[in-house]
Amino acid sequence: MSITMSRGQAYIQRLNDERNVWLDGERIQVTGHQAFQGTLQTIEGLFNLVDDPETREIVAYWDEQTGSYVHRSFLVPRSLPDVNSRADAFRLWADRTYGVMSRLSDYARSRLTGWYATRHEMTAHDPAFADKISDYFAQAKRKDAFLTIVQRDPQINRSLPVGEDEDAMLRIVKRNTEGVVIRGAKMVATAAPYADDIIAYPVQRIPGHLPELAHMVIVAADSPGLHMMCRESFATKDTDKSHPLSAQYDEMDAVLFFDDVFVPWERVLLHNNPEAVWQIRCNTASASLAYHQSVIRLHSKLEFITAVTSSIAKEIGVDSFLNVQEQLGELISQMQTIEGLIIAAEAQSKPDTFGNWLPEFKYIETARNLGNRYYPRAVEILKTIAAGGLIQIPSGTFEMNEKMGSMIGKYLGGVTMQAPEKIRLFQLAWELTGSPLGARHDLYERFYAGDPVRNRANQYVQYDKERLLGKVEPWLRRSLKD
């Protein structure tokens, strides 16, 4: 009698391959290492929501091509209900992880879906692109593949022009009838150690005279020559009780070293084509669908930090203070502003020239650009309200000897909470503000979408300023007549 594996179990089993993952100077097996246990259990549970009758219709849709249920991040939206159903799936995953896991594959899958949905516009640059992306899209759906994307180059000497430092750029060094060989490095590859495939392409515009740098490839995580060097783990110790977020939601980041990695032609989506790669980078459908997921996750995260901060304010008896209420009101304003922008993006979604129904990107872009200021400010407010309480959390367990237990109960309780419950609340707050995980998330929210200065400047550059200037022009003509 055969036993059918769940989607989550099938995903975990796929990770038992020959991938080269390095942690603390040693090559490790992802599925057997303590640093990845909590994260993989979390992802397994999320994947299994497709198998659960209570959540299946929220997170997945029936796909005629594969003859199975598929996560809605693979759904090409052709109507407003499709946009809303994708949002529901994103929100379920984000709420289950409190917005703390940012690269759960629904972002990368949405990028892929956008490229697939607009594949025919790339035929002017590369006639083979449409067939290649179609074939891979079908494979990824059927496999329920965990995907991640990596774009950025290592910080060796950023003052040099693009391509001048060969070691700083991933490049094609050989090609034959079967495929290409790539060499170089990429950062920061969040979730790469437990991905099925990695989609790599440059984030910056490649000069026309350096075509060997202009490629878009899909690399299997277990490719010979691909080495993933992980940062320090935040979940390698006994973190289940004292660091609950780190224990379950530490989505590992890695630098990828491509030591002459072979990529077959069917996975070389673009090569030696700077203009085509730039068009992929700027693809509106891909950006709209992927960042739609990102801002939904941001809302869940802001909601969570607002909940923790409000609970602490109540438990230390400061929630009636006017200055504290003003700060809590700021958190709620942040949360509701992002929610309103999400609603607007969905309500004003419209079809593109291919009939794909896309969320209105100007609202998504605004939410994204606000988020890299909102989240650090939210952390600052939590620190300000919790104050010294964040550094009075007892180490280890609080089930100590009778004498210590009675003193902890007497001095570390709150307005409504007993000491153990209040300590756990402050542990959550420390995870968000002072732990390595918290520091990483502060950096992540500031920079995950790229240079925030450039992003805001681009929003101005691309805006229809003539319409704005038109509001001033009548006043200028009036003053001249006077």
Side-chain angles (χ1 to χ4, degrees), residues 83-98:
V83 173
N84 293 334
S85 68
R86 284 174 55 88
D88 291 340
F90 297 151
R91 192 167 291 108
L92 179 61
W93 272 21
D95 286 348
R96 290 290 177 101
T97 54
Y98 305 95

Side-chain angles (χ1 to χ4, degrees), residues 170-175 180-184 212 260-261:
L170 184 63
R171 61 184 63 224
I172 293 175
V173 294
K174 295 178 185 178
R175 59 176 52 82
V180 301
V181 175
I182 56 176
R183 181 186 302 164
E212 69 275 11
D260 288 4
V261 175

Side-chain angles (χ1 to χ4, degrees), residues 62-341:
W62 180 260
D63 181 65
E64 295 292 342
Q65 185 181 29
T66 62
S68 64
Y69 277 95
V70 174
H71 191 274
R72 289 190 183 273
S73 54
F74 286 115
L75 175 65
V76 177
R78 307 294 287 185
S79 64
L80 177 57
D82 284 348
V83 173
N84 293 334
S85 68
R86 284 174 55 88
D88 291 340
F90 297 151
R91 192 167 291 108
L92 179 61
W93 272 21
D95 286 348
R96 290 290 177 101
T97 54
Y98 305 95
V100 176
M101 294 191 77
S102 56
R103 286 293 184 262
L104 283 170
S105 188
D106 43 356
Y107 171 86
R109 290 171 173 180
S110 295
R111 280 282 188 192
L112 175 66
T113 300
W115 293 322
Y116 166 76
T118 56
R119 60 195 179 279
H120 294 298
E121 75 178 4
M122 292 298 297
T123 55
H125 302 286
D126 188 333
F129 178 85
D131 287 341
K132 287 183 178 181
I133 199 84
S134 296
D135 290 344
Y136 183 74
F137 183 71
Q139 293 171 25
K141 284 195 301 181
R142 189 172 293 107
K143 189 178 183 178
D144 202 17
F146 192 112
L147 309 177
T148 194
I149 290 173
V150 62
Q151 301 168 312
R152 305 193 182 277
D153 305 304
Q155 298 174 335
I156 300 176
N157 184 350
R158 296 179 64 190
S159 68
L160 294 176
V162 173
E164 187 165 324
D165 186 345
E166 291 190 2
D167 291 332
M169 302 289 292
L170 184 63
R171 61 184 63 224
I172 293 175
V173 294
K174 295 178 185 178
R175 59 176 52 82
N176 56 36
T177 57
E178 296 181 349
V180 301
V181 175
I182 56 176
R183 181 186 302 164
K186 282 289 184 182
M187 62 168 275
V188 174
T190 302
Y194 45 84
D196 289 300
D197 291 321
I198 299 159
I199 304 173
Y201 60 97
V203 70
Q204 71 272 61
R205 189 161 201 156
I206 302 299
H209 68 282
L210 295 172
E212 69 275 11
L213 304 180
H215 49 258
M216 181 185 191
V217 294
I218 302 172
V219 183
D222 63 344
S223 296
L226 174 60
H227 296 270
M228 308 181 194
M229 186 185 71
C230 299
R231 61 154 165 79
E232 176 187 11
S233 172
F234 307 147
T236 54
K237 298 179 181 179
D238 183 18
T239 55
D240 288 355
K241 292 184 177 180
S242 58
H243 294 82
L245 300 181
S246 298
Q248 299 177 73
Y249 308 131
D250 180 19
E251 50 178 5
M252 180 60 74
D253 308 295
V255 178
L256 305 185
F257 301 137
F258 297 83
D259 186 18
D260 288 4
V261 175
F262 174 76
V263 183
W265 279 118
E266 60 266 23
R267 288 190 166 213
V268 181
L269 300 181
L270 297 169
H271 74 289
N272 285 14
N273 199 330
E275 183 58 30
V277 170
W278 182 245
Q279 292 303 317
I280 281 292
R281 164 75 173 81
C282 300
N283 183 276
T284 300
S286 179
S288 296
L289 297 182
Y291 284 120
H292 184 209
Q293 180 274 337
S294 294
V295 296
I296 288 173
R297 179 203 56 79
L298 171 66
H299 178 261
S300 290
K301 196 172 188 178
L302 290 173
E303 191 173 49
F304 181 53
I305 197 170
T306 300
V308 172
T309 309
S310 299
S311 296
I312 283 181
K314 177 182 178 182
E315 285 311 311
I316 61 176
V318 299
D319 57 334
S320 61
F321 297 175
L322 181 60
N323 64 312
V324 173
Q325 290 176 340
E326 187 270 339
Q327 291 174 316
L328 294 174
E330 182 179 347
L331 291 180
I332 291 171
S333 294
Q334 288 185 350
M335 188 175 64
Q336 293 183 338
T337 297
I338 299 301
E339 183 179 19
L341 289 166

